[in-house]
Amino acid sequence: MAGTVQPDLEMAASLFEALRHATQRGRGVVRDSYGAGEQAAHDIVRSAAEAAGLETSVDALGNLFVTLAGRERNAPRIIMGSHLDSVPQGGNFDGAAGVVAGLCVLSAMSRARVVPECDVSVMAIRAEESAWFDIAYLGSGGAFGLLDPDCLAIERSDNGQSLEATLQQQGFDAQPIRERRRLLEPSGIRAYLELHIEQGPTLVARGFPAAVVSGIRGCKRFRNARCTGEYGHSGAVSRPYRRDAVAATVAFLHHMETVWLRHEEAGEDLVLTAGELCTDPDMHGPSKIAGETRFVLDIRGLSAATMEAVAAEARAAAARIGAGYRVDIDLAMIFVRNEHGSHNADEAMSLEDFAVGTRALLELVLNFPL
Ligand SMILES: [Zn+2]
């Protein structure tokens, strides 16, 4: 069966083109979560699904479902999917590739008149990156009733509109979040399958077009870390009197590099990144000791225990190094999320590689153990 049914790759090429055309802003794409960009992407996918004769429905939070009806309509279904929002100036394929792949699989099955045992759906998930609301997984978390209702007050970063008002404006309903009500029952899902572009360089480096993911790194992030010392004259203040925020921050980050190396040498999976690091541009100067830095420390790994241990080491080091430099290193709160994606305008994915992944997805769906 799998040999005769081929994924609808012409559909993929035209969908990627339509998505890029509708949402490209400058170099990257902008599919703002619960905004015009994400909606445009949903509209494109929905019309393509309907043109292919597939069932479509949208839940109260705007997640789109495209379904090929199975023989047993009440049996737990297989869901393929991914998100259709992007980060600001994101790439065309992060998220969209998974939705498009699912659609190509369903379209191919439908054209070949394959009737699966159970329903097979594609879920185009809302606001997964959710970069505009600073809380990830709004669509999927909301669908499973897992969101804290307080999130409805979170304001969209560019216009200050609350999530609740934004949902309302888009024609969706905040009530399920308020009631922590499930829109999707886990018992009704036989399997969830997702194709996603790789974030890291491994597949390219090793020459594989596609591969099965063995794990996704979780993330603990000190999002709003701050080191506070005292501004002073670079020539006049000797070491014993300095409270140099830059020197302390560098010492702290260097120490975390040695922590990373140690865990790595012990064979643990771990990556540490300080992707943002700045002095205050209104206050800093070439002949000033910096009195403040702000930075982010992003800790990722396959093991929650490793990340927890590293976060604890970061807190201890912040206290110790802060005291040594007479500054406060304040790691603020910790955000926990499991994020993935390539997140830049230069995302590259060849349609040939996409085809390998999509064929694998099709074979999996066609041969799924029931
Ligand atoms: Zn993604």
Side-chain angles (χ1 to χ4, degrees):
M1 178 71 81
T4 55
V5 186
Q6 290 297 320
D8 189 345
L9 295 172
E10 271 171 41
M11 176 188 231
S14 80
L15 275 171
F16 285 132
E17 187 45 43
L19 288 168
R20 185 188 295 284
H21 182 74
T23 58
Q24 184 146 19
R25 303 285 178 270
R27 286 195 65 230
V29 304
V30 178
R31 297 176 194 145
D32 45 333
S33 323
Y34 286 118
E38 185 187 59
Q39 186 59 51
H42 274 251
D43 291 344
I44 288 166
V45 167
R46 187 176 181 163
S47 351
E50 284 168 1
L54 298 161
E55 290 176 13
T56 61
S57 65
V58 176
D59 73 14
L61 296 172
N63 297 304
L64 168 67
F65 291 85
V66 177
T67 299
L68 177 67
R71 253 185 287 277
E72 292 283 340
R73 298 232 57 185
N74 293 322
R77 61 178 156 164
I78 295 172
I79 299 182
M80 301 175 280
S82 197
H83 58 99
L84 281 181
D85 64 330
S86 73
V87 296
Q89 289 300 313
N92 197 35
F93 303 119
D94 188 328
V99 175
V100 170
L103 208 53
C104 294
V105 165
L106 290 193
S107 166
M109 289 169 72
S110 165
R111 282 198 317 197
R113 303 194 188 290
V114 173
V115 181
E117 280 303 316
C118 62
D119 281 10
V120 184
S121 297
V122 175
M123 180 179 182
I125 300 167
R126 285 277 177 177
E128 174 163 305
E129 305 281 11
S130 203
W132 283 263
F133 290 100
D134 207 18
I135 171 175
Y137 311 123
L138 283 175
S140 53
F144 286 113
L146 295 172
L147 295 180
D148 182 337
D150 288 350
C151 78
L152 290 170
I154 292 177
E155 291 173 354
R156 197 180 138 125
S157 57
D158 56 350
N159 63 16
Q161 191 175 44
S162 71
L163 174 60
E164 177 155 22
T166 305
L167 285 170
Q168 218 157 30
Q169 191 188 42
Q170 299 286 317
F172 305 126
D173 183 5
Q175 199 59 24
I177 297 178
R178 211 175 291 115
E179 297 170 1
R180 296 180 194 258
R181 172 156 48 86
R182 278 184 188 158
L183 304 172
L184 260 184
E185 283 301 327
S187 60
I189 302 170
R190 188 183 301 274
Y192 176 79
L193 310 170
E194 178 161 351
L195 177 147
H196 200 282
I197 63 162
E198 193 199 20
Q199 166 194 22
T202 308
L203 293 181
V204 170
R206 297 181 61 176
F208 295 137
V212 174
V213 179
S214 52
I216 295 174
R217 289 193 177 108
C219 170
K220 281 198 175 295
R221 185 180 302 157
F222 294 104
R223 179 76 187 83
N224 298 301
R226 189 158 85 142
C227 177
T228 320
E230 190 174 39
Y231 289 95
H233 191 290
S234 66
V237 185
S238 304
R239 184 187 291 277
Y241 308 107
R242 285 189 180 221
R243 301 179 60 212
D244 185 336
V246 164
T249 304
V250 169
F252 170 75
L253 292 176
H254 176 70
H255 174 78
M256 293 312 297
E257 183 82 7
T258 66
V259 168
W260 177 11
L261 270 171
R262 180 159 41 76
H263 281 274
E264 209 172 44
E265 280 164 11
E268 292 164 56
D269 182 82
L270 183 69
V271 285
L272 297 192
T273 309
E276 293 175 19
L277 167 59
C278 49
T279 47
D280 181 347
D282 293 332
M283 291 291 289
H284 69 189
S287 60
K288 260 185 178 179
I289 298 162
E292 183 181 276
T293 66
R294 288 170 183 272
F295 61 98
V296 174
L297 180 63
D298 180 278
I299 304 167
R300 293 177 191 234
L302 289 175
S303 149
T306 299
M307 290 189 293
E308 199 50 71
V310 171
E313 289 191 62
R315 286 188 209 98
R320 193 179 62 250
I321 292 167
Y325 283 83
R326 295 171 294 282
V327 299
D328 288 321
I329 302 178
D330 178 7
L331 298 178
M333 66 200 280
I334 297 184
F335 269 34
V336 181
R337 69 182 229 183
N338 285 281
E339 196 205 21
H340 58 77
S342 186
H343 298 175
N344 67 74
D346 296 323
E347 268 174 16
M349 178 187 73
S350 78
L351 265 186
E352 288 76 26
D353 288 356
F354 174 80
V356 172
T358 305
R359 277 192 202 100
L361 190 63
L362 174 66
E363 297 217 12
L364 193 54
V365 171
L366 290 174
N367 297 297
F368 204 82
L370 291 166

